[in-house]
Amino acid sequence: MNFLRDRLQNSALLGAFQRFIVDRIRVGVDFLGWSPKPRDTFQDRYLRMLLLEAAVKNSASSPEIIVYANIAFTNWKDNPNSIQSDQQRAIFYEGISEGTVADWDMAWEEMKYTMKQDYRGALLYGLSATREPWVLRRYLYRCLNDTALTRAQGARSFMQVVQSDYGRNIALQFFKDNWSSLYQR
């Protein structure tokens, strides 16, 4: 799905594709709901996670999903344990993409000090979604130089920036400008 979305990014068909995806997502959401239930299987939780991520990435056609994610992100800022693990990636992605630089900085600090790897991964995924070009550049430099990230996390974060709508061109320019440093790693 992301492959098709990326291919249609600069096409007049993107809007129709997003509406199609959101219609498919709604079927799953109507069946599963957004919040986990006590009797959910692993597959239910995993499918809910994928549905929420797809909904956030195709947000132009689903404003109610964006409202849900932004409310959850606002609650997370007050209580970092308030988001279910299967919702973290999508909520951080949407919250940071719509949020401020202060939100990004808060998520970065939270990521640096957490010991939970899935939580850290969700935060790193969300950090790649910012729409501020200079923050994306700072993030890429941190991926390259910061001791808070392992090489694998830095590489994964770099790829997530490349896959984001706002980061694709910035990552390409960063790659060109820092080729020698990247090659030596």
Side-chain angles (χ1 to χ4, degrees):
M1 182 167 53
N2 286 338
F3 174 80
L4 285 174
R5 186 177 171 278
D6 288 345
R7 295 299 160 257
L8 295 172
Q9 188 65 36
N10 296 322
S11 166
L13 298 174
L14 181 62
F17 177 74
Q18 286 179 320
R19 285 189 299 280
F20 172 79
I21 293 301
V22 169
D23 288 344
R24 303 290 83 69
I25 290 168
R26 282 196 178 110
V27 171
V29 170
D30 290 344
F31 179 74
L32 291 173
W34 287 120
S35 300
K37 298 172 194 82
R39 293 187 161 196
D40 278 351
T41 64
F42 171 78
Q43 290 85 358
D44 292 338
R45 292 179 67 92
Y46 186 68
L47 180 58
R48 184 179 295 109
M49 179 188 76
L50 294 175
L51 288 170
L52 190 53
E53 282 184 43
V56 166
K57 288 243 177 175
N58 293 286
S59 60
S61 303
S62 55
E64 70 278 0
I65 294 166
I66 301 311
V67 169
Y68 172 83
N70 284 325
I71 290 170
F73 185 74
T74 301
N75 292 339
W76 170 81
K77 291 190 294 186
D78 295 330
N79 178 11
N81 296 320
S82 64
I83 300 175
Q84 297 288 329
S85 61
D86 56 344
Q87 297 177 339
Q88 288 173 345
R89 284 174 55 94
I91 289 171
F92 291 147
Y93 189 91
E94 178 58 29
I96 292 171
S97 74
E98 296 287 328
T100 65
V101 175
D103 293 336
W104 193 96
D105 289 337
M106 178 183 172
W108 175 261
E109 290 301 316
E110 183 77 14
M111 181 281 306
K112 282 182 14 182
Y113 296 109
T114 187
M115 298 306 276
K116 300 177 196 171
Q117 290 304 310
D118 57 337
Y119 184 60
R120 177 182 267 243
L123 284 164
L124 287 169
Y125 179 70
L127 290 168
S128 70
T130 184
R131 295 180 181 181
E132 290 290 335
W134 70 270
V135 176
L136 279 171
R137 279 189 213 83
R138 180 177 73 174
Y139 185 42
L140 292 171
Y141 277 109
R142 287 181 180 179
C143 290
L144 185 61
N145 300 316
D146 201 294
T147 58
L149 299 176
T150 64
R151 282 186 180 187
Q153 289 169 334
R156 189 176 320 113
S157 297
F158 188 87
M159 290 306 299
Q160 289 166 346
V161 171
V162 168
Q163 293 169 352
S164 74
D165 294 338
Y166 293 92
R168 185 171 293 119
N169 294 331
I170 293 168
L172 177 61
Q173 189 60 47
F174 180 86
F175 190 77
K176 289 177 183 177
D177 294 344
N178 296 285
W179 170 248
S180 60
S181 299
L182 291 166
Y183 182 73
Q184 290 174 358
R185 288 188 66 143

